[in-house]
Structures are given as structure tokens and as C-alpha cells.
Amino acid sequence: DLVVCTRGDFCVVVRKHVQRLEAASFSPQEIENIERDHADLVSVYHNEQTLRDIVDRAERDLSFKEGWATFRTRYPALHRFCGGLASVFPGSATVESDFSRSHREKNLFD
């Protein structure tokens, strides 16, 4: 999902949650790093076949933890941010809003 999300849409989601991120001890620099990590991941996904294969396989076969094992040191801010999203109660209004903003529908696995 991260690699198909545009930079603009992703930044809107991050900026929407700045206060929550700051409350979770994200510094302003770390928040910027989330956006930078996302932009780099998207760029690398489109330009490196090896990474694209890993991401595409992770989408089908791996848990969140297993899927991030390859990337958590390369994209630490994005990993921390997504780990927080993965642990959010799935029925919350903000999660529903984020799915709506990304033009996706929540399914059993989201």
C-alpha cells in the first residue's frame, strides 16, 4: 500500500496526525523523516527490481513484522510510523478516514 500511495496523499495523512505523533515522542525531524523515507521507498520500488520483488512478495506472504524485517533499518522512521498504524484499533474513525483518503476500502486484513 505504501508504494502505491502518492507522496501528496501520504503527506496529508502524516500531517493530519502530527499532534498524535508528537505525543508519541516523534520529533519534528522524525516526522520529516517519515515523509522522506516514504518518498525514497517509492522511488526505490519503481527503480530496483530486487526491492520490488521483496515488497510484492511481502504483500502476499508475510506478516507485518516479517515484511518489515528487510526495511526497518533502511527506513526507520517509516517503520516506526507504520508500526503505530498497524497497532491502531481497526474500527477507529481516524483509520476509516485514512482509508477513505487513500481511496481504499478496509478489508479483513487491514
Side-chain angles (χ1 to χ4, degrees), residues 54-98:
I54 292 168
V55 169
D56 292 346
R57 180 178 162 265
E59 186 174 301
R60 294 185 312 271
D61 302 333
L62 303 176
S63 70
F64 179 84
K65 184 177 180 180
E66 293 167 330
W68 271 100
T70 304
F71 305 106
R72 74 172 169 248
T73 57
R74 186 169 181 175
Y75 303 111
L78 186 61
H79 173 259
R80 185 172 172 217
F81 176 73
C82 291
L85 289 178
S87 64
V88 172
F89 183 74
S92 72
T94 55
V95 172
E96 296 293 337
S97 172
D98 290 345

Side-chain angles (χ1 to χ4, degrees), residues 15-107:
R15 295 296 166 186
K16 178 180 173 186
H17 296 288
V18 167
Q19 289 181 336
R20 291 178 57 202
L21 292 168
E22 290 171 342
S25 301
F26 279 85
S27 70
Q29 183 60 51
E30 287 175 302
I31 295 168
E32 287 182 31
N33 290 346
I34 294 167
E35 295 170 353
R36 187 203 67 232
D37 282 0
H38 173 260
D40 188 59
L41 174 66
V42 171
S43 175
V44 170
Y45 177 83
H46 290 292
N47 294 307
E48 291 183 22
Q49 183 65 45
T50 303
L51 184 129
R52 187 169 39 255
D53 292 343
I54 292 168
V55 169
D56 292 346
R57 180 178 162 265
E59 186 174 301
R60 294 185 312 271
D61 302 333
L62 303 176
S63 70
F64 179 84
K65 184 177 180 180
E66 293 167 330
W68 271 100
T70 304
F71 305 106
R72 74 172 169 248
T73 57
R74 186 169 181 175
Y75 303 111
L78 186 61
H79 173 259
R80 185 172 172 217
F81 176 73
C82 291
L85 289 178
S87 64
V88 172
F89 183 74
S92 72
T94 55
V95 172
E96 296 293 337
S97 172
D98 290 345
F99 277 106
S100 175
R101 187 176 301 279
S102 66
H103 308 291
R104 289 196 58 238
E105 291 185 20
K106 185 171 71 84
N107 63 38

